Amino acid sequence: MHLAYPAVLSALLFCTGLYGVLARRNAILVLMSVELMLNAVNLNLVAFDVWLRDTVHSGQALTLFTIAIAAAEIGIGLAIVLAVHRNRGSSDVDRLRDTAETDAAETLPGDEADEIHGTEDQATAPAGKAKKAEATA
């Protein structure tokens, strides 16, 4: 068996998965792309195991461990995505990142004292909003 055929197929699968991780915005499709990348690695492990004629079949044993880890990763990943979808109403990766950044940037360290003591007047209010908008950008 030529090693080039499964190696090229594995490289194509891995590149397809990498494109899916970088280009997709849906969290479930990102998880599917990660699984595609892991399957490309599994194909490489088995191909090199057959090519090297290993008597212990360590490549195939490592592939079984990788399949078990991938199954656990998908189970936990889907549980997290479903929990986030229930709470936020969307599984869009960009929207989730934006909401996390705006939650953290709502209060700036300098603004806390002004809000507690009520010393913020109408003249400094737009400046505080500008700082918050700048922090989220």
Side-chain angles (χ1 to χ4, degrees), residues 26 52 57 69 85 102 106 116-117 123:
N26 191 351
L52 293 173
H57 298 294
I69 289 171
H85 184 68
T102 52
E106 281 181 2
I116 292 172
H117 298 294

Side-chain angles (χ1 to χ4, degrees), residues 7-92:
V8 168
L9 179 63
S10 176
L12 289 174
L13 283 174
F14 192 85
C15 289
T16 305
L18 186 64
Y19 173 75
V21 167
L22 296 176
R24 298 292 179 186
R25 298 297 172 232
N26 191 351
I28 294 174
L29 292 177
V30 170
L31 285 174
M32 288 175 59
S33 298
V34 169
E35 289 298 318
L36 192 62
M37 291 167 61
L38 285 173
N39 285 330
V41 170
N42 288 340
L43 179 63
N44 247 348
L45 285 171
V46 171
F48 275 97
D49 183 57
V50 169
W51 184 64
L52 293 173
R53 294 186 178 97
D54 189 15
T55 57
V56 182
H57 298 294
S58 57
Q60 293 178 16
L62 190 57
T63 299
L64 287 175
F65 285 119
T66 308
I67 290 171
I69 289 171
E73 177 240 339
I74 273 297
I76 292 171
L78 280 177
I80 291 170
V81 167
L82 287 175
V84 166
H85 184 68
R86 279 188 198 151
N87 289 336
R88 303 278 173 119
S90 173
S91 62
D92 188 19

Side-chain angles (χ1 to χ4, degrees), residues 100-131:
E101 289 174 355
T102 52
D103 289 343
E106 281 181 2
T107 58
L108 294 175
D111 293 340
E112 291 173 359
D114 292 339
E115 291 175 4
I116 292 172
H117 298 294
T119 58
E120 185 179 67
D121 60 350
Q122 296 298 328
T124 59
K129 289 180 183 177
K131 279 196 277 184

